[in-house]
Coordinates of all heavy atoms in Angstrom, one line a residue:
A599 N 93.9 123.9 91.3 CA 93.2 123.9 90.0 C 92.0 123.0 90.0 O 90.9 123.5 89.4 CB 94.2 123.3 88.9
A602 N 89.1 125.0 91.5 CA 88.5 126.0 90.7 C 87.6 125.4 89.7 O 86.5 125.9 89.4 CB 89.6 126.8 90.0
M603 N 87.9 124.2 89.3 CA 87.2 123.4 88.3 C 85.9 123.0 88.9 O 84.8 123.1 88.3 CB 87.8 122.2 87.8 CG 87.2 121.5 86.6 SD 87.2 122.4 85.1 CE 88.8 122.3 84.6
V604 N 85.9 122.4 90.1 CA 84.6 122.2 90.9 C 83.8 123.3 91.0 O 82.5 123.2 90.8 CB 85.1 121.3 92.2 CG1 83.8 121.3 93.2 CG2 85.8 120.1 92.0
E606 N 83.5 125.9 89.1 CA 83.1 126.2 87.8 C 81.8 125.4 87.4 O 80.8 125.6 86.9 CB 84.0 126.2 86.8 CG 83.6 126.6 85.4 CD 82.9 127.9 85.3 OE1 83.4 128.8 85.9 OE2 82.0 127.9 84.3
V607 N 82.1 124.0 87.7 CA 81.0 122.9 87.3 C 79.7 123.3 88.2 O 78.7 123.2 87.6 CB 81.6 121.6 87.5 CG1 80.4 120.5 87.5 CG2 82.6 121.3 86.5
Q610 N 78.0 126.2 86.8 CA 77.3 125.8 85.6 C 76.0 125.0 85.8 O 75.0 125.3 85.2 CB 78.3 124.9 84.6 CG 79.3 126.0 84.0 CD 80.0 125.2 82.9 OE1 79.7 124.1 82.4 NE2 81.2 125.7 82.6
R623 N 73.9 121.9 76.8 CA 75.3 121.5 76.8 C 76.2 122.4 77.8 O 75.9 123.7 77.9 CB 75.8 121.9 75.4 CG 75.3 120.8 74.3 CD 76.1 121.2 73.0 NE 77.5 121.2 73.1 CZ 78.3 120.1 72.8 NH1 77.8 119.1 72.3 NH2 79.7 120.4 72.9
P624 N 77.1 121.8 78.4 CA 77.9 122.8 79.3 C 78.9 123.5 78.6 O 79.2 123.4 77.4 CB 78.7 121.6 80.2 CG 78.7 120.4 79.4 CD 77.4 120.4 78.6
D625 N 79.5 124.5 79.4 CA 80.4 125.3 78.8 C 81.8 124.8 79.0 O 82.6 125.1 79.8 CB 80.3 126.8 79.4 CG 81.3 127.9 78.9 OD1 81.8 127.6 77.7 OD2 81.4 128.9 79.4
Y626 N 82.1 123.9 77.8 CA 83.4 123.3 78.0 C 84.6 124.2 77.9 O 85.7 124.1 78.4 CB 83.6 122.3 76.7 CG 82.6 121.1 76.9 CD1 81.6 121.0 75.9 CD2 82.8 120.2 78.0 CE1 80.6 120.0 76.0 CE2 81.7 119.2 77.9 CZ 80.8 119.0 77.0 OH 79.9 118.0 77.1
E627 N 84.5 125.4 77.1 CA 85.5 126.2 76.8 C 86.0 126.9 78.1 O 87.2 127.1 78.4 CB 85.1 127.4 75.9 CG 84.9 127.0 74.5 CD 84.3 128.0 73.5 OE1 84.4 129.1 74.0 OE2 84.0 127.8 72.5
R628 N 85.1 127.2 79.0 CA 85.4 127.8 80.4 C 86.3 126.9 81.2 O 87.2 127.1 81.9 CB 84.2 128.3 81.1 CG 84.4 128.7 82.5 CD 85.0 130.1 82.4 NE 85.4 130.6 83.8 CZ 86.5 131.1 84.2 NH1 87.6 131.3 83.3 NH2 86.6 131.4 85.4
C629 N 86.0 125.6 81.2 CA 86.7 124.5 81.9 C 88.0 124.3 81.4 O 89.1 124.1 82.0 CB 85.9 123.2 81.9 SG 84.4 123.1 82.8
V630 N 88.2 124.4 80.0 CA 89.4 124.2 79.5 C 90.3 125.4 79.7 O 91.5 125.4 80.0 CB 89.5 124.1 77.9 CG1 90.7 124.2 77.2 CG2 88.7 122.7 77.5
E631 N 89.6 126.7 79.8 CA 90.3 127.9 80.0 C 91.0 127.9 81.6 O 92.0 128.3 81.8 CB 89.4 129.1 80.0 CG 90.0 130.5 80.3 CD 89.1 131.6 80.1 OE1 88.1 131.5 79.5 OE2 89.3 132.5 80.9
I632 N 90.1 127.3 82.4 CA 90.5 127.2 83.9 C 91.8 126.2 83.8 O 92.8 126.7 84.7 CB 89.5 126.6 84.8 CG1 88.4 127.8 84.9 CG2 89.9 126.2 86.1 CD1 87.1 127.1 85.6
S633 N 91.7 125.2 83.3 CA 92.8 124.3 83.3 C 94.1 124.8 82.7 O 95.3 124.7 83.2 CB 92.5 123.0 82.5 OG 91.6 122.2 83.2
T634 N 93.9 125.6 81.6 CA 95.0 126.1 80.9 C 95.8 127.3 81.8 O 96.7 127.3 81.9 CB 94.7 126.8 79.6 OG1 94.0 125.7 78.8 CG2 95.8 127.3 78.8
Q635 N 94.8 128.1 82.2 CA 95.4 129.2 83.1 C 96.0 128.6 84.4 O 97.1 129.1 84.9 CB 94.3 130.2 83.5 CG 93.7 131.0 82.5 CD 94.8 131.7 81.8 OE1 95.6 132.4 82.6 NE2 94.8 131.9 80.5
A636 N 95.6 127.5 84.9 CA 96.0 126.9 86.2 C 97.5 126.3 85.8 O 98.5 126.5 86.6 CB 95.2 125.9 86.7
S637 N 97.5 125.7 84.6 CA 99.0 125.2 84.4 C 99.9 126.2 84.0 O 101.1 126.1 84.3 CB 98.8 124.2 83.1 OG 98.4 125.0 82.0
L638 N 99.6 127.3 83.4 CA 100.4 128.4 83.1 C 100.9 129.3 84.4 O 102.0 129.6 84.6 CB 99.9 129.4 82.1 CG 99.6 128.8 80.6 CD1 98.9 129.9 79.8 CD2 101.0 128.4 80.1
R639 N 99.9 129.4 85.4 CA 100.1 130.1 86.5 C 101.1 129.3 87.5 O 102.0 129.9 88.2 CB 98.8 130.4 87.2 CG 98.9 131.2 88.4 CD 97.6 131.5 89.2 NE 97.0 130.4 89.5 CZ 95.7 130.0 89.0 NH1 95.1 130.8 88.1 NH2 95.1 128.9 89.2

Side-chain angles (χ1 to χ4, degrees):
M603 188 69 67
V604 167
E606 176 61 29
V607 170
Q610 286 188 22
R623 290 187 51 104
D625 185 8
Y626 294 116
E627 292 177 8
R628 178 69 182 132
C629 293
V630 170
E631 181 181 333
I632 289 171
S633 296
T634 305
Q635 289 301 319
S637 66
L638 292 175
R639 182 179 55 241

